[in-house]
Amino acid sequence: MSFVPGNQQRHLRACMVCSIVQVQQRFIREGCPNCEAFLGLQNHPDSVQECTSQVFEGLITLADPTKSWVARWQRLEGYVPGVYAVKVVGQLPEEVVQSIEDAGGRYVPRDGTVHDDDA
């Protein structure tokens, strides 16, 4: 995430799968850099609304997720460098959760409802 002017901060959204934070238009224009393969957000504003949230807490900037203990703690290992939310409030549609599982992934909510020992 590059510098976001103050008047654009209200357009920030966090991916409910990986918790990366970007402006809404970037999700629409480029999709999610970590989850695009199964979310398909690029050029789909309705999907961006369903799979991202404006309600999130805390921000983490990761320069090198492979070496960061914070990345391990937040389950961000293997993701692209960027700005991530600590907690993302929202619920993915059931068909999106199913598509993640069909792609071999496991969805772990980023809202704190699942603890590490459950994941």
Side-chain angles (χ1 to χ4, degrees):
M1 178 171 98
S2 54
F3 173 75
V4 177
N7 65 345
Q8 292 294 306
Q9 290 179 357
R10 63 187 174 105
H11 298 290
L12 288 175
R13 299 186 71 86
C15 176
M16 284 192 253
V17 177
C18 71
S19 77
I20 196 162
V21 177
Q22 304 182 135
V23 292
Q24 181 175 356
Q25 284 304 316
R26 186 166 181 189
F27 275 115
I28 294 170
R29 192 175 58 250
E30 300 172 17
C32 177
N34 298 306
C35 308
E36 190 60 22
F38 48 86
L39 289 184
L41 303 181
Q42 188 175 19
N43 298 319
H44 293 97
D46 291 341
S47 295
V48 169
Q49 290 293 321
E50 290 180 338
C51 299
T52 66
S53 175
Q54 287 182 297
V55 184
F56 55 87
E57 296 176 17
L59 292 174
I60 299 168
T61 301
L62 290 178
D64 188 351
T66 62
K67 296 181 180 178
S68 169
W69 69 266
V70 174
R72 284 192 304 276
W73 170 59
Q74 286 294 118
R75 297 181 314 274
L76 300 174
E77 292 176 293
Y79 290 161
V80 300
V83 176
Y84 291 83
V86 174
K87 183 176 177 183
V88 182
V89 177
Q91 194 167 25
L92 280 177
E94 197 56 44
E95 64 270 12
V96 175
V97 174
Q98 187 62 50
S99 73
I100 293 169
E101 292 172 357
D102 291 347
R106 181 168 179 271
Y107 172 61
V108 178
R110 298 275 177 181
D111 62 1
T113 58
V114 175
H115 302 288
D116 283 338
D117 39 331
D118 298 337

